[in-house]
Amino acid sequence: MSQALVIVAHGSHLNPGSSAPTYDHADTIRAAGAFDEVRTGFWKEEPSLREVLRTCEADEVYVVPMFISEGYFTEQVIPRELRLDDWDVADWDSDGLSADVATYTAEDTGQTVHYCGPVGTHESMTDVLVRRAESVTNDPDVGEGFGFAVVGHGTERNENSAKAIEYHADRVRDMDRFDEVQALYMDEEPEVDDVTDYFTAEDVVVVPLFISDGFHTQEDIPEDMGLTDDYRTGYDVPAAVDGHRIWYAGAVGTESLMADVVLERAADAGADVSAAIESVRETTRVAPGADD
Amino acid sequence: MLARQFDALLAAADSDDGIDFDGLHVAHESDGGYTFATPEHEATGLSESELHAHADGSPYVTNWYFWEREVQRHESPRRAFLRHAEAADDHGVHERYDALADGMVTEWGQLRIEATLADAAGDATPADGSRRYDVRHVDDADHPVEELERYDDPLEARELSKHDDDGMYRPLKTGTNMPTGWAFHDLDWRDAVETVETLYPATVANWYREREGRLDIDHWTDTTDRQTGIYGIVSELPREAVEWVAEAACDDSQCVKRREWQYDEGDDLAADGGTGAFPCREPCSLVIAAARRWTKLEEEEPREYTFHLTPSEKDQIEGVIDAVADGRVDEIREADVYEDANRYRTRYLRAKLFDDHGNLGSVPTDPEEGHDHDDHDDHDDHDDHDDHDDHDDHDDHDDHDDE
Ligand code: SF4
C-alpha cells in the first residue's frame, strides 16, 4: 500500500516567503525517497487544508503540522479542515508537549490519516535549534564561550507555546554545550528586549522558535533586541549590543534539518522512513567552515 | 512497437481476460491461436509471429500500452485528466493519433496544455505511443518554445507562479494573473499532471469528482458556520452582501474557477458563477479573510452626507472606482486627461474637493465626535494592521500562537 506525507502549514495571503520553509523541507524529504508522495497543504494558501488530501493518491497519509506548539491550529483548525470527523484531542493524550499521533479516516476521501503532533514539540527539534546556532555562527562546534537563547511568544495566548520554549531550553541546557541557556519571550518576562541582561557570555546566539520568517522574526524581534532601529535597513550578524555580540538566527523553521523533525514525526506514527532519516541528517549537515 | 510492448501484449493476451481496450481486442483463444481485432480489421487463428506482424505498427497497440501499462491508475483523476487532454472518450485511436501528431490543446484556466505523440528516435526506437505535453500560459500559445523560459521540473511551477507579471505576490493560485513567458515543454504524463496540479492545486481532483457526480460542495453557510476564531464572525455577513462578495471575488475576470457554491443548498446566488473548466467547491481562504473585513464594515450604519459635485465630478468618482475595481489604473496613460482615473485628473479633483484634513467637500467623516479625517486615517491604519492576516490573526487569537 502506498504511503504519502502531507506537511501542513499556515501560509499567508500577504507574505510570499511564508510557505518557503515548508516547500524546502518537503523537497528534502521527497529527494530522500521515503514516501510515494510528499505534498504540502496550507491554511491560507493552496492546496488548502480542505483539499490537500484529495491531491494524494496514497491510501495511507501521514500528516505533520509545521506548527510550533499544540493549540488552536493543531487541535481545532487542522483536524476540522482535513475532515477527521472522529477527532478528539484526548486521542493525543498529551500534556501539551507530548502529542504524537492519532489515526482516523478522512470523511471525504476515505484515506487513513495518521495525524501527528506538531514539529515544534518533538524532541529532535532541540537538535534543530542547536543546528541553527551552528549555521548562524558557521561553526559546527559552537558552544563554549557562547550563550544560547530560545525565543517565543509568551503564555498570554497559548500556554503550550511557552511550554515548548521551556522544554527546548531545558534540553539545550542539559547538553552542557553552551555556557548559558535562557528562554525569552516577546510579551512577558524574561523579555527578549532585555536579552543582554540575561547573559554574561559576550557571544549570544538567539534562535526564535518560529516556523517561518515574517513580521515577528524579521521586524519585531530584531528591533526589540536593538539589533537595528529599523528592520528595513537590516542588521549585522553578529550585531554589537551593550557589549555583547548577538548572533540572531531568524526562524528556526528555515533550518534545513527541520526536514528531519518532520520525518521523525512520521516515523513515530509508524511510517517506514529510517533510511530517509539517515540521508536527511547527512545532507543537511553544516560543513566545518562552509560558507553558505 | 518496442519489444517490451509486444511482450506485454502477449502476456495480457495470455491472461484470462485478454485485451479489450479503446477498440483493440486481443485474446489467446482456446484453440491455441491468437485473435487480433481493431474496428478496421480482424484476424484470428494467429501464431505468435503472426500476432507480432499484426501488432507491429498498430497505433492500437502502442495506445493500449500507454494507457494500460504506463498510466494505469484506473478511476483516478490523473488518468481521467490525461484522457480528457486527448478527448479519448470521443475519438477513435486513428483519429486521435492524427490529431496528436498536430497537437491537441486543452485550456485549463489560463493554462494551455498541448498533448502530442513522442517522435520516433530513428529506426532503432520506433514511436512507442508515449505522449508528450507542453504546458504554458494561454496567451503564449503562438510563441515558439525557444522564446519562452523553459522549465522541466514541475516543482519549479511553485516559484514561477508565485508572482504576477508585475512582480506582485499572487495569494490566490487560480487568480487571473498567472504570469506569462514560460513553458514546461516535452513533459511526460506524470510531470504534465504534476505541473498542472502545482499551478492550480486540487483542480484536477475536483474536476474529476464533479464529472463523477460527487463534487462535495460546501455552500457559504456551510463554510462560514464551521469557522472559529477570528473568522467566526463571517457567518454574520448579510445574505445580500454575500452576493457582492461573489461578484467581487469569484467573477471570471478575477478567478478561473467556476463557482459552484451558493448561499445555501437550494438558495442560489444571483451572481454569475462563471464558465471555468473546473469547479470551486467552497469559499476559499482569501474570500473568507476578505469577508471578515466586509463583515466588520457592514456593521456600520449608513449616514447621510451632503456633497456638492458637478455632474462630471460625480462621473469621475464613479470612473475612478471602476478603474480600480477593474485593475485598469496602470494602463491609463499619463497625459490621457480624458480618463477619469488619470493621475492628473485625480490629483486635480483631490486639490479641489479635499480640505487640509483629507475630507471630501470639507465634510467630516464623523461629525458628531468631531473627528477629522486624520483621526479617521489613523483609525483605518490601525484596523488595517489588525487585519493583516499574519499579524491580526495573532492579535485576534487566531493564527500565530502555535505557528
Ligand atoms: S471562492 Fe471565489 S475567488 Fe475563491 S477560489 Fe472560489 S471562485 Fe475563486
Side-chain angles (χ1 to χ4, degrees):
Chain A
M1 198 154 71
S2 61
Q3 61 175 16
L5 173 70
V6 170
I7 309 177
V8 293
H10 191 280
S12 168
H13 294 147
L14 298 169
N15 170 11
S18 172
S19 54
T22 304
Y23 288 153
D24 289 346
H25 307 321
D27 291 353
T28 304
I29 295 169
R30 197 176 287 114
F35 291 90
D36 301 294
E37 295 168 89
V38 178
R39 308 246 168 231
T40 52
F42 299 92
W43 172 229
K44 295 290 181 82
E45 298 180 37
E46 298 141 274
S48 63
L49 301 177
R50 202 77 178 146
E51 298 182 354
V52 66
L53 290 177
R54 64 189 60 192
T55 69
C56 297
E57 294 189 324
D59 313 307
E60 183 138 19
V61 184
Y62 293 84
V63 174
V64 177
M66 283 284 281
F67 285 83
I68 284 308
S69 52
E70 294 172 30
Y72 176 61
F73 271 89
T74 58
E75 294 172 2
Q76 292 187 48
V77 175
I78 298 169
R80 176 189 81 210
E81 297 291 296
L82 293 178
R83 287 178 257 206
L84 309 180
D85 284 3
D86 296 330
W87 161 254
D88 180 346
V89 66
D91 295 347
W92 261 352
D93 190 20
S94 173
D95 59 7
L97 286 173
S98 61
D100 46 12
V101 67
T103 299
Y104 305 95
T105 302
E107 188 245 334
D108 55 333
T109 63
Q111 287 155 312
T112 300
V113 176
H114 303 283
Y115 181 47
C116 303
V119 287
T121 55
H122 195 273
E123 58 178 17
S124 62
M125 190 72 190
T126 311
D127 301 336
V128 186
L129 287 162
V130 172
R131 178 70 72 84
R132 192 84 197 129
E134 295 172 10
S135 297
V136 73
T137 57
N138 209 3
D139 176 2
D141 300 314
V142 65
E144 204 182 326
F146 271 73
F148 185 97
V150 191
V151 184
H153 282 301
T155 47
E156 199 177 298
R157 294 181 189 91
N158 176 355
E159 192 193 340
N160 288 339
S161 136
K163 273 191 201 168
I165 306 288
E166 291 294 342
Y167 170 73
H168 292 297
D170 287 347
R171 284 173 50 84
V172 175
R173 198 173 292 118
D174 291 347
M175 289 174 171
D176 263 342
R177 176 169 171 165
F178 294 88
D179 291 2
E180 300 154 84
V181 177
Q182 180 69 48
L184 297 174
Y185 299 99
M186 293 184 63
D187 32 66
E188 70 185 51
E189 306 248 306
E191 279 198 66
V192 67
D193 307 39
D194 309 320
V195 54
T196 52
D197 297 351
Y198 293 97
F199 290 93
T200 51
E202 190 179 335
D203 286 291
V204 180
V205 180
V206 177
V207 186
L209 190 65
F210 282 77
I211 293 298
S212 62
D213 276 318
F215 178 66
H216 292 307
T217 63
Q218 289 177 319
E219 303 177 22
D220 271 0
I221 299 176
E223 288 183 8
D224 289 352
M225 290 196 299
L227 305 185
T228 175
D229 294 334
D230 180 348
Y231 72 92
R232 282 166 296 200
T233 59
Y235 50 83
D236 294 331
V237 181
V241 180
D242 297 340
H244 292 263
R245 275 197 304 252
I246 304 292
W247 302 74
Y248 179 59
V252 67
T254 60
E255 181 63 38
S256 55
L257 185 62
M258 278 292 288
D260 175 62
V261 185
V262 176
L263 281 170
E264 300 277 358
R265 277 286 180 216
D268 293 350
D272 176 18
V273 294
S274 44
I277 287 176
E278 282 310 308
S279 114
V280 164
R281 283 202 187 136
E282 189 55 30
T283 54
T284 61
R285 226 160 34 91
V286 181
D291 192 12
D292 57 359
Chain B
M1 183 180 70
L2 306 173
R4 69 176 134 83
Q5 294 181 316
F6 184 67
D7 293 344
L9 186 82
L10 259 190
D14 288 340
S15 71
D16 288 349
D17 297 339
I19 294 174
D20 194 1
F21 179 77
D22 270 5
L24 175 68
H25 176 72
V26 184
H28 199 171
E29 307 296 350
S30 47
D31 62 8
Y34 289 97
T35 297
F36 181 91
T38 66
E40 294 85 24
H41 165 91
E42 174 164 355
T44 53
L46 303 173
S47 67
E48 188 179 315
S49 62
E50 287 168 335
L51 177 66
H52 187 279
H54 279 88
D56 201 18
S58 167
Y60 289 95
V61 172
T62 56
N63 179 69
W64 165 80
Y65 187 85
F66 175 70
W67 290 110
E68 297 297 285
R69 288 298 176 268
E70 284 191 27
V71 176
Q72 304 182 69
R73 294 177 157 69
H74 289 268
E75 317 287 317
S76 80
R78 281 157 207 244
R79 179 185 175 95
F81 179 77
L82 293 165
R83 300 274 293 171
H84 175 69
E86 56 185 72
D89 294 338
D90 302 332
H91 302 295
V93 171
H94 276 294
E95 211 183 329
R96 247 190 291 152
Y97 269 43
D98 286 348
L100 284 168
D102 298 332
M104 294 183 79
V105 172
T106 305
E107 288 197 1
W108 194 256
Q110 288 183 303
L111 303 181
R112 175 189 187 276
I113 300 144
E114 182 172 9
T116 51
L117 284 173
D119 291 332
D123 290 344
T125 317
D128 61 359
S130 56
R131 274 58 162 175
R132 306 303 289 178
Y133 300 86
D134 175 285
V135 181
R136 59 174 72 183
H137 194 291
V138 278
D139 293 349
D140 291 326
D142 297 332
H143 288 284
V145 70
E146 302 75 47
E147 287 176 12
L148 300 170
E149 193 153 340
R150 275 186 67 165
Y151 295 91
D152 37 42
D153 180 353
L155 291 174
E156 291 179 300
R158 291 186 307 217
E159 199 52 43
L160 100 87
S161 62
K162 205 157 224 191
H163 297 91
D164 66 15
D165 277 335
D166 296 326
M168 295 296 283
Y169 175 50
R170 301 174 65 237
L172 182 66
K173 291 207 162 42
T174 50
T176 50
N177 52 357
M178 181 69 80
T180 54
W182 49 269
F184 286 80
H185 191 65
D186 203 26
L187 300 178
D188 66 14
W189 61 271
R190 280 173 207 279
D191 284 353
V193 187
E194 207 56 47
T195 300
V196 171
E197 275 281 293
T198 305
L199 292 166
Y200 288 151
T203 57
V204 172
N206 285 328
W207 163 86
Y208 179 72
R209 279 176 170 256
E210 184 179 50
R211 261 169 57 121
E212 298 289 299
R214 46 185 188 89
L215 183 67
D216 46 343
I217 296 168
D218 285 341
H219 297 294
W220 178 266
T221 50
D222 305 325
T223 305
T224 56
D225 285 350
R226 77 164 196 270
Q227 302 299 319
T228 51
I230 62 166
Y231 298 110
I233 61 164
V234 176
S235 60
E236 293 162 22
L237 190 69
R239 190 195 182 292
E240 64 172 351
V242 179
E243 290 284 358
W244 304 325
V245 172
E247 191 176 324
C250 308
D251 188 79
D252 274 354
S253 65
Q254 307 298 308
C255 175
V256 297
K257 283 188 185 173
R258 169 170 33 83
R259 181 179 54 76
E260 288 297 327
W261 57 265
Q262 303 293 347
Y263 185 71
D264 202 349
E265 187 67 39
D267 184 359
D268 287 5
L269 296 170
D272 187 14
T275 58
F278 40 84
C280 172
R281 42 164 301 284
E282 71 174 40
C284 65
S285 74
L286 190 64
V287 158
I288 293 296
R292 172 174 180 259
R293 181 76 177 136
W294 285 315
T295 305
K296 289 193 166 181
L297 295 176
E298 289 295 345
E299 285 167 4
E300 291 180 18
E301 291 298 325
R303 289 182 189 170
E304 196 169 311
Y305 295 99
T306 306
F307 304 104
H308 294 276
L309 304 172
T310 66
S312 298
E313 285 163 356
K314 175 176 176 289
D315 279 349
Q316 190 188 344
I317 289 170
E318 291 158 359
V320 168
I321 292 174
D322 277 340
V324 173
D326 296 337
R328 284 196 305 111
V329 175
D330 290 344
E331 296 160 18
I332 295 170
R333 289 167 299 173
E334 185 167 331
D336 190 354
V337 292
Y338 288 88
E339 279 282 356
D340 291 324
N342 168 268
R343 195 170 80 240
Y344 294 121
R345 285 280 310 280
T346 312
R347 290 179 63 85
Y348 179 96
L349 192 71
R350 182 171 69 176
K352 177 177 174 184
L353 295 182
F354 285 17
D355 66 13
D356 292 346
H357 301 291
N359 283 311
L360 177 64
S362 296
V363 178
T365 300
D366 198 349
E368 276 157 35
E369 291 162 34
H371 276 186
D372 66 20
H373 197 85
D374 275 341
D375 284 347
H376 179 71
D377 262 352
D378 288 343
H379 177 67
D380 258 355
D381 284 345
H382 178 69
D383 265 2
D384 281 350
H385 177 76
D386 269 355
D387 276 336
H388 272 248
D389 28 56
D390 296 314
H391 311 178
D392 124 275
D393 289 357
H394 167 67
D395 293 341
D396 284 303
H397 192 146
D398 181 77
D399 293 359
H400 262 218
D401 297 357
D402 19 309
E403 201 206 3

